[in-house]
Amino acid sequence: MKMWSGRFRQPLDPGFEKWQRSFPYDQRLLPFELAASRAHANALEHAGVLSSEELSEVVKALSEIGRRAESESEFLNDPEAEDVHHFVEKQLVLLIGATGYKLHTGRSRNEQIATDLRLFVRQSIDTLQGLIADWVEAILTRAEGAGSTGMPAYTHLQPAEPVLVAHWLLAYVEMFLRDAARLADCRKRANLCPLGSGAVAGATLTLNRQAMAQALGFDGPTANSIDATSDRDFALEFVNALSLFALHLSRWAEEMILFSTPAYGFVELPEAYSTGSSAMPQKKNPDLLELVRGKAARVMGCATTLQTLLKGLPLAYNKDLQETQEPMFDASDTVIGMLPLVTGFMNTVEFNEAKMNQAAQAGYMNAWAAAAYLVERGVPSRLAHEAIGKAVQLAVERGCELQKLPLADLQAIHASFDAAFPSCLGLTEVLGLHDVPGGTAPRHVKRALQNARERAGLLRSPEPLATR
Ligand code: ARG
């Protein structure tokens, strides 16, 4: 029996019937649907709609449905179920007869789907936090392992200043810790319970909303039934957070691709995460990284779909909302699927430290340090900049680094140069010059590493999931 057939004289067009079903994809919400149904059944007993015997019958049958869904591969093969809500009702009636029809008393699928989707978002976020912790810790391990190795930092993709490899990797750690924080923030707003909101105006029975919320591990009930049944902000916030996360992964992937090319040679691609070319035998291609970059587009597309979908909807529930499900699942699956792979990549990728260190010391990236040297000797900054610019020009002409210029030539540019100049331009000295928190001086990087370790560890304190 359909959930709404009474008013209709004609059957649905078979093509339309099949086309409008969401069960093929919303069946993954079954554990949440069962948990929410259990909470509702308890509230019905409290309200006197179910006897305590009926309640235990319903609760037992709900567990049985969950058990069969897990153990019988054909169980979810139901071409008639319109959606996960209809499926559960059908199965309930098969198991316990007409009592099964009582479960829908005082509730609407509009509040049910809103509840299931919030539970889904909450669970995905909890999964993601653990995976982000693994990922960030993998980056941190490589950062710690890089020790005192330097590399060029770029602006405009031109070599700018040398930094510690650890400092470079910590930049990514910051991005991903922000992603984790955004997800945690999204979780807070998602973790409210729509049950009791009915179709739009609130339940027609005095259901204990506080108890239902509590049973499902929500922080409390939602405040307004119109909003609760039509709100998908939590989905959009979730997918927006994922799209920014995927964007960060894509930036990381792009840089790894660049650094693995022979022109840079900083990174040796791990064979376990690369592929060959069917045509060119010498090739080792960064397919994992390229797919990470590509999948970011997909996740960003999901966010765009959700925004576009929601922007014109009048209150409250509209069937368009069914279309929020797949982009949300897809974005979640895509990011959850990528994380163990990028973590594996990070654990095995080889850094060519000698080459990075060498690159950190070539190409006049110590020019700012050279200017600082003059400033320390009382030369006004703008004039020091000018003088070092001239010295760079001379060094370019001679094909040497700044510290190799003869003192006499330097003094012809500015009288303040002295014999100490070359000793101020080594990698260690240049790195040490950036002696501010957040800068690349080794003592600050060391502290930053410790601090990031602590923050990554905090991601491992998951909120308990209450979907039993
Ligand atoms: N499958 C529907 C969805 O995903 C469930 C809610 C249906 N509500 C309704 N009034 N038809 O949105």
Side-chain angles (χ1 to χ4, degrees), residues 273-453:
Y273 296 99
S274 310
T275 58
S277 156
S278 60
M280 296 163 282
Q282 87 282 9
K283 291 292 288 292
K284 184 161 75 170
N285 291 329
D287 286 30
L288 172 103
L289 301 167
E290 291 169 306
L291 281 174
V292 166
R293 207 171 49 184
K295 293 213 187 265
R298 175 174 173 156
V299 178
M300 291 155 88
C302 293
T304 304
T305 302
L306 286 185
Q307 270 168 343
T308 314
L309 203 140
L310 294 168
K311 70 177 263 302
L313 286 191
L315 293 173
Y317 180 84
N318 296 273
K319 189 75 170 213
D320 317 38
L321 290 175
Q322 184 166 290
E323 287 292 312
T324 58
Q325 294 190 29
E326 285 175 292
M328 194 174 93
F329 296 152
D330 188 29
S332 174
D333 293 344
T334 301
V335 176
I336 287 176
M338 277 194 281
L339 278 170
L341 298 172
V342 292
T343 302
F345 179 98
M346 208 32 151
N347 286 332
T348 47
V349 66
E350 274 174 51
F351 293 140
N352 188 338
E353 296 189 355
K355 200 138 191 200
M356 291 171 122
N357 237 342
Q358 202 185 336
Q361 297 173 73
Y364 315 109
M365 283 188 297
N366 51 7
W368 197 345
Y373 157 93
L374 286 181
V375 168
E376 214 170 277
R377 280 153 183 76
V379 181
S381 170
R382 181 55 53 227
L383 302 180
H385 185 284
E386 198 65 18
I388 298 300
K390 290 207 169 85
V392 168
Q393 199 162 56
L394 189 62
V396 171
E397 278 164 23
R398 304 251 174 106
C400 68
E401 291 294 322
L402 281 174
Q403 56 272 39
K404 297 285 185 221
L405 288 172
L407 184 56
D409 291 329
L410 288 167
Q411 283 176 336
I413 293 172
H414 201 289
S416 299
F417 282 106
D418 60 25
F421 183 61
S423 68
C424 297
L425 296 188
L427 181 58
T428 312
E429 290 71 30
V430 178
L431 290 171
L433 197 62
H434 300 79
D435 195 22
V436 285
T440 200
R443 70 188 188 108
H444 289 294
V445 171
K446 193 171 163 208
R447 235 175 266 159
L449 282 169
Q450 285 161 355
N451 175 278
R453 271 277 171 207

Side-chain angles (χ1 to χ4, degrees), residues 62-395:
L62 291 172
S63 301
E64 174 65 6
I65 294 169
R67 192 196 61 73
R68 291 188 63 188
E70 271 181 26
S71 59
E72 295 171 30
S73 54
E74 291 298 290
F75 184 59
L76 293 171
N77 241 340
D78 181 347
E80 269 158 27
E82 194 172 307
D83 52 28
V84 67
H85 324 292
H86 184 212
F87 176 78
V88 170
E89 182 173 283
K90 278 181 66 189
Q91 291 299 329
L92 210 52
V93 172
L94 280 177
L95 284 167
I96 60 174
T99 308
Y101 286 130
K102 288 193 177 180
L103 181 61
H104 208 59
T105 318
R107 76 171 178 177
S108 155
R109 285 185 292 167
N110 300 353
E111 62 181 304
Q112 285 173 260
I113 188 62
T115 305
D116 295 355
L117 292 177
R118 281 172 184 262
L119 290 171
F120 171 85
V121 165
R122 192 177 75 186
Q123 187 180 65
S124 293
I125 291 176
D126 292 342
T127 303
L128 280 159
Q129 296 293 17
L131 293 171
I132 298 174
D134 295 341
W135 164 232
V136 167
E137 284 170 0
I139 304 175
L140 282 172
T141 300
R142 298 311 304 265
E144 286 155 359
S148 59
T149 308
M151 67 181 286
Y154 300 84
T155 63
H156 313 268
L157 202 53
Q158 306 291 335
E161 293 188 89
V163 291
L164 285 176
V165 168
H167 195 57
W168 165 61
L169 290 172
L170 278 168
Y172 286 108
V173 167
E174 287 307 314
M175 292 185 211
F176 296 119
L177 287 177
R178 282 199 298 275
D179 291 319
R182 248 184 300 275
L183 287 167
D185 185 54
C186 163
R187 189 190 195 282
K188 274 187 224 145
R189 273 182 297 279
N191 202 30
L192 293 174
C193 185
L195 290 188
S197 297
V200 60
T204 49
L205 295 166
T206 45
L207 299 174
N208 187 338
R209 296 197 63 205
Q210 198 65 47
M212 290 192 286
Q214 207 177 353
L216 292 166
F218 283 116
D219 294 332
T222 48
N224 178 289
S225 63
I226 304 173
D227 177 50
T229 48
S230 67
D231 170 34
R232 294 294 182 274
D233 289 3
F234 63 89
L236 183 53
E237 282 187 45
F238 175 52
V239 176
N240 274 338
L242 289 179
S243 86
L244 186 42
F245 188 0
L247 180 153
H248 289 153
L249 285 170
S250 179
R251 291 186 72 177
W252 165 81
E254 168 61 16
E255 224 176 25
M256 288 307 231
I257 292 170
L258 215 53
F259 288 171
S260 74
T261 59
Y264 286 85
F266 295 167
V267 161
E268 184 62 45
L269 295 173
E271 291 193 8
Y273 296 99
S274 310
T275 58
S277 156
S278 60
M280 296 163 282
Q282 87 282 9
K283 291 292 288 292
K284 184 161 75 170
N285 291 329
D287 286 30
L288 172 103
L289 301 167
E290 291 169 306
L291 281 174
V292 166
R293 207 171 49 184
K295 293 213 187 265
R298 175 174 173 156
V299 178
M300 291 155 88
C302 293
T304 304
T305 302
L306 286 185
Q307 270 168 343
T308 314
L309 203 140
L310 294 168
K311 70 177 263 302
L313 286 191
L315 293 173
Y317 180 84
N318 296 273
K319 189 75 170 213
D320 317 38
L321 290 175
Q322 184 166 290
E323 287 292 312
T324 58
Q325 294 190 29
E326 285 175 292
M328 194 174 93
F329 296 152
D330 188 29
S332 174
D333 293 344
T334 301
V335 176
I336 287 176
M338 277 194 281
L339 278 170
L341 298 172
V342 292
T343 302
F345 179 98
M346 208 32 151
N347 286 332
T348 47
V349 66
E350 274 174 51
F351 293 140
N352 188 338
E353 296 189 355
K355 200 138 191 200
M356 291 171 122
N357 237 342
Q358 202 185 336
Q361 297 173 73
Y364 315 109
M365 283 188 297
N366 51 7
W368 197 345
Y373 157 93
L374 286 181
V375 168
E376 214 170 277
R377 280 153 183 76
V379 181
S381 170
R382 181 55 53 227
L383 302 180
H385 185 284
E386 198 65 18
I388 298 300
K390 290 207 169 85
V392 168
Q393 199 162 56
L394 189 62

